[in-house]
Amino acid sequence: MELWYNLYGKTDRDENEVDMEFAVEKEDQVDSWQEAMLVYHAALKQINTRLEILNDEFQHVHRYNPIEHIKSRIKTSESIVKKLKRYGYESTIENMVKYINDIAGIRVICSFTSDIYRIADILRSQNDIRVISVKDYIRHPKESGYKSYHMLITVPVFLSDRIVDVKVEVQIRTVAMDFWASLEHKINYKFEGKAPEHIRMELVECAKMVSRLDDRMLALNEEVLHLSEESGGEPAKE
């Protein structure tokens, strides 16, 4: 199970456990592991700060916050090792950096579906961010009903002697989508990914309800904006 936490928070893991997962034996390997984690943390801080500045700018210019909140996480060593084994690679730091794309993850929770694409477009337009791939599970949901917008990007991290392009997975979704995804993950975790068919179908139905809710809230917000413009007043947005 992946552990999501506040960017400046701490986990309850003993840092020494991480080295054992990758069989780090030499001092230079320990340094390599620590440096890898340093740049991933730095990349998360950088993207997190950019998103906060973006939200502040929207509040200043448009009196509107498109971002409800942001979650950040570094993938646990156990998850990294399991993924490498699943891909058929040895558990080395080099393979981790090369083949695991979601070690650093940012989850952006928005108010409306329109905000999702707005934020994605702004990130895409920043000239030092390179978009590697996009998976639009909003227009093309998974069979389970899962909806979210995924971007795999690289952001430059400036070290004392060089610049490192670091991969970060960005997930953008509405509050309603995040609510469904969190509960779906907990339910499937309890069943180890093998939930009974009737529960799986019920989750799909709930996902459809969430989608309808998002559509209605977006339509309601657009109507409020339209009425406000007609009256010449300022829209009261949160």
Side-chain angles (χ1 to χ4, degrees):
M1 182 177 182
E2 291 184 2
L3 178 63
W4 288 81
Y5 60 100
N6 184 279
L7 191 59
Y8 300 103
K10 296 181 179 179
T11 70
D12 56 359
R13 286 183 49 77
D14 181 352
E15 290 183 359
N16 293 325
E17 294 179 22
V18 173
D19 294 341
M20 296 299 294
E21 291 289 345
F22 287 89
V24 175
E25 298 171 352
K26 298 179 181 179
E27 186 175 347
D28 61 340
Q29 292 176 316
V30 174
D31 290 341
S32 295
W33 168 262
Q34 293 175 341
E35 184 175 286
M37 292 299 99
L38 183 150
V39 297
Y40 282 117
H41 276 287
L44 282 183
K45 288 181 181 179
Q46 198 171 153
I47 297 298
N48 192 82
T49 300
R50 293 186 190 204
L51 290 167
E52 287 180 349
I53 292 171
L54 172 64
N55 215 31
D56 289 344
E57 181 197 7
F58 266 85
Q59 177 62 40
H60 175 71
V61 176
H62 305 290
R63 300 212 311 148
Y64 171 55
N65 295 110
I67 299 173
E68 293 288 336
H69 57 273
I70 303 168
K71 300 177 184 178
S72 307
R73 70 100 175 92
I74 296 291
K75 205 172 186 67
T76 64
S77 58
E78 292 91 343
S79 294
I80 294 170
V81 170
K82 286 179 182 178
K83 205 162 192 178
L84 283 172
K85 288 181 177 178
R86 192 161 70 244
Y87 290 169
Y89 297 114
E90 293 183 9
S91 300
T92 66
I93 295 171
E94 181 181 358
N95 285 343
M96 174 190 82
V97 173
K98 185 175 181 180
Y99 297 113
I100 307 299
N101 293 326
D102 60 345
I103 294 174
I106 290 272
R107 186 174 293 163
V108 186
I109 313 302
C110 302
S111 304
F112 306 104
T113 51
S114 57
D115 295 326
I116 293 173
Y117 293 102
R118 179 180 298 174
I119 291 168
D121 287 342
I122 292 173
L123 281 177
R124 190 179 288 109
S125 68
Q126 297 188 5
N127 57 19
D128 61 344
I129 287 180
R130 181 168 64 94
V131 178
I132 299 175
S133 64
V134 170
K135 293 180 180 178
D136 189 344
Y137 295 119
I138 297 172
R139 292 194 173 104
H140 307 285
K142 293 185 178 182
E143 288 185 9
S144 63
Y146 175 85
K147 298 180 78 171
S148 185
Y149 189 92
H150 293 195
M151 300 175 71
L152 178 61
I153 64 175
T154 63
V155 60
V157 172
F158 293 81
L159 301 177
S160 60
D161 58 345
R162 66 192 185 282
I163 301 172
V164 182
D165 286 326
V166 183
K167 289 182 286 188
V168 178
E169 183 188 60
V170 182
Q171 299 178 1
I172 316 174
R173 59 180 67 156
T174 64
V175 175
M177 292 175 194
D178 191 57
F179 170 74
W180 181 91
S182 296
L183 293 185
E184 189 265 354
H185 179 78
K186 289 179 181 178
I187 290 171
N188 277 316
Y189 185 74
K190 288 180 181 179
F191 289 103
E192 297 182 343
K194 299 178 181 178
E197 181 66 13
H198 72 281
I199 291 179
R200 189 185 69 81
M201 295 305 299
E202 186 67 23
L203 284 169
V204 172
E205 287 302 312
C206 288
K208 293 177 181 177
M209 293 169 61
V210 165
S211 182
R212 289 195 294 270
L213 175 62
D214 268 334
D215 290 342
R216 292 182 68 176
M217 293 302 290
L218 177 60
L220 181 61
N221 183 62
E222 289 175 345
E223 182 178 355
V224 170
L225 293 178
H226 179 69
L227 291 173
S228 178
E229 289 172 359
E230 283 188 341
S231 64
E234 290 282 349
K237 302 178 187 176
E238 295 295 333

